[in-house]
Amino acid sequence: MQPFRLPEFYLPYPARLNPNLERARERSKAWAYRMDMIDVPQQGHAIWDEADFDRHDYALLCAYTHPDADGPELDLITCWYVWVFYFDDHFVELYKRDPDLEGARAYLDRLPAFMPLEGPVTAELTNPVEAGLADLWQRTVPSMSVDWRRRFAENTKHLLDESLWELANISENRLSNPIEYIEMRRKVGGAPWSANLVEHAVGVEVPAEIAATRPMAVLRDTFSDAVHLRNDLFSYAREVQDEGELSNGVLVFEKFLGCTTQEAAERVNDLLTSRMHQFEHTALTEVPRLLDERGIDPAGRLAVLGYVKGLQDWQSGGHEWHAQSGRYPDGAPSVLAGPQGLGTSAATIVNSLISTAPQRLRSYSHVPCTAVGPVPRREIYMPYQVTLCPHLDVSREHLVDWARATGIFEDVPQVWDETLLRIHDLPLCAAGLDPDATVEELDLASAWLAWGTYGDDYYPQVFGHARNMAGAKALNARLVELMPVEGASPLVPSCALERGLADLWARTTVLMPADQRRAFRQAVERMLDSWLWELDNQHQNRIPDPVDYIEMRRSTFGSDLTMSLSRFSHGQTVPPEIYRTRTIRAMENSATDYATMVNDVFSYRKEVEFEGEVHNSVLVVQNFLDCDRDRAFEIVHDLMTARMKQFQHAVDVELPALIAEFGLDSEARAALTRYATELQDWMAGILNWHRRCRRYVDSELRYNTPVGPGGGLPTGPTGLGTEGLRIPAPSAAWDPVVG
């Protein structure tokens, strides 16, 4: 029996049932029998019998989630879902109930062999999971492009491999924090994998040139988060109480917020609703602009529209299946179980829209420049010591000279003057990030910090008040052109922001090979694009969805730029694939999230009261939970601490295991250990800068906050932003590190 009452779900789309349901039931059962998935124990463990299979009714899931698929397509899609749920239960019985990490790793390592991008499957089949995957792969991929195959194979591999994360948490009895949970649940939960199958089911492919863009990634991620959070609400009793599972959003929220299970379920449902609102916002505002800007042809536009509709069908159909399936016997009443007929579906949708309207409206109803008054300082958890570079005072003066040479103090409009630059004291930040820097290295790092912070202030003041998104995009395009991968840029810099970037690009990349310059430019581009995202929200007076905020804050903070530079210093000693592992990404993301939240708690009054800012995690939490400021601060501080402790866990437990798993040599081991230390210095240096600089001191706020046209209008995001970059001066022994 459910330990809580299921909340009222946001259901904006009608559920429809595919007429080929009975055919899919019959054919998927016959296929499961052929694959030995029914009534065939595995290593002495019973997985499914026929009653289990019938009760779960995966054909019903697919008939609801793919209502327009023809008979053969629905058969194929249903077999895929039979396979993925069988894999989940097979993995639970063989490797989770009695945790067996080594056996699980060996089991999972074999599965990519059954997903070749080209050619037939040649690996020997040893169990039903392998047999089912090999059969379905060969029946599915011939009609799809290599780009789609690659994406589908990657998402399938994530779904399989990240089961080890769940298993490791069970073995350690470790409950993840909410940010970690959302990130990892996307991979292990399988919804990105489902999004790939939506393309196949509706007979379209997202054009390859836009598949990796932010709008398409947000559609996939919001779809995934909503699917997984919905499943967590329905499956809590099965997973937590029966299977001893720790990977459930209700449990994560319950423990993190210190609330009842019912309250946690309500908060999970609020997040589910917020993610669906974000999906709709992206589909209606960002996707059309993307199609226009990239010049996507009519066929590509129809494919994207079909894909969006397919994802919507999945949401409504997935909910209906959860309500009816015997896999979750204590679920909510089916929407279709009540009154039916003309108008009843519309009534359900209208009621759903009305009930969730307050949450949506809160995001757009923030009053800019609301007085918040002085904010009491809270203790911040920091387990690492800060050490300052001895060249700090020299670099302070050199930075003023650099800013004057680039024209920052004379730019029109004037965003900064010399007094403001000194108040910011960005060399203090750089000196903590890299205590061993030479004068030249510290000067260059300080200049990058100044350029990033200046740009983060410049965009809202110049383009925000005028709502001039076209001008911001034009400047972005020029800034990108000032970062040539080969040769020199044809552009002549025309403002301080352009002159500063041209100078820094030349000084930083002089000894970089082309592939590193290309990666570095992409990192800067992500930061520039995030400034446009901030402007867009500012123009709409829209407080971001909490998950979107956390993920985009990493870009506005410049963390991609920071991490890429540090990786370059490791040369060829660390294989590139190591940086794509969950462990390294956990180190980087948890460090970045910690630093961005440090900035947000220090800058809250400056941003909310003096600038009318909407990009601050405290404000985002206030809006999402509809709570007061003090409660929001408590939650952000708890999140900050949780991310720091996750970083420590990744360094102390996961990093040694990663090194051993890949058999890395002493040189690679030393490079990764140094990288962890650099990240520790980076966080300690950022916190020290916030504590010691005058940028956020109440007595300085009226001076160091630029005032836009109209005397008191908000100037937009001015937090630490890209400050957190440690970029060394080029030399024969070029050795950049994250500060």
Side-chain angles (χ1 to χ4, degrees), residues 112-192:
F114 304 98
M115 299 182 290
L117 295 184
E118 301 284 355
V121 173
T122 58
E124 178 186 1
L125 307 176
T126 64
N127 60 57
V129 171
E130 294 176 356
L133 179 57
D135 176 75
L136 293 171
W137 184 263
Q138 293 173 110
R139 291 164 55 193
T140 303
V141 301
S143 62
M144 307 302 283
S145 69
V146 172
D147 177 71
W148 184 90
R149 297 179 197 184
R150 185 175 294 108
R151 286 189 281 120
F152 188 47
E154 180 180 1
N155 285 327
T156 305
K157 189 174 187 299
H158 284 162
L159 182 153
L160 302 170
D161 288 354
E162 299 308 338
S163 299
L164 290 175
W165 171 75
E166 291 183 321
L167 184 55
N169 283 345
I170 292 172
S171 300
E172 300 175 26
N173 194 32
R174 175 180 177 270
L175 190 65
S176 58
N177 61 72
I179 299 174
E180 177 190 12
Y181 176 75
I182 293 294
E183 285 184 331
M184 294 306 302
R185 186 73 162 93
R186 279 183 198 159
K187 295 182 177 181
V188 76

Side-chain angles (χ1 to χ4, degrees), residues 562-623:
T562 305
M563 307 310 177
S564 63
L565 280 169
S566 184
R567 292 170 184 171
F568 299 155
S569 73
H570 303 161
Q572 303 300 314
T573 61
V574 179
E577 62 269 20
I578 297 298
Y579 292 110
R580 296 190 289 269
T581 61
R582 178 182 55 78
T583 298
I584 301 300
R585 296 305 299 161
M587 287 169 50
E588 294 172 342
N589 287 345
S590 56
T592 299
D593 294 344
Y594 176 89
T596 59
M597 285 185 275
V598 164
N599 175 250
D600 285 352
V601 299
F602 273 88
S603 66
Y604 175 79
R605 188 183 185 197
K606 172 182 171 62
E607 294 179 343
V608 174
E609 179 173 337
F610 288 86
E611 299 170 1
E613 180 56 82
V614 295
H615 300 99
N616 185 288
S617 60
V618 179
L619 183 64
V620 169
V621 169
Q622 280 181 273
N623 175 71

Side-chain angles (χ1 to χ4, degrees), residues 31-44:
W31 180 82
Y33 267 115
R34 289 199 304 274
M35 297 297 114
D36 288 342
M37 294 178 177
I38 301 176
D39 293 331
V40 180
Q42 300 294 311
Q43 299 180 27

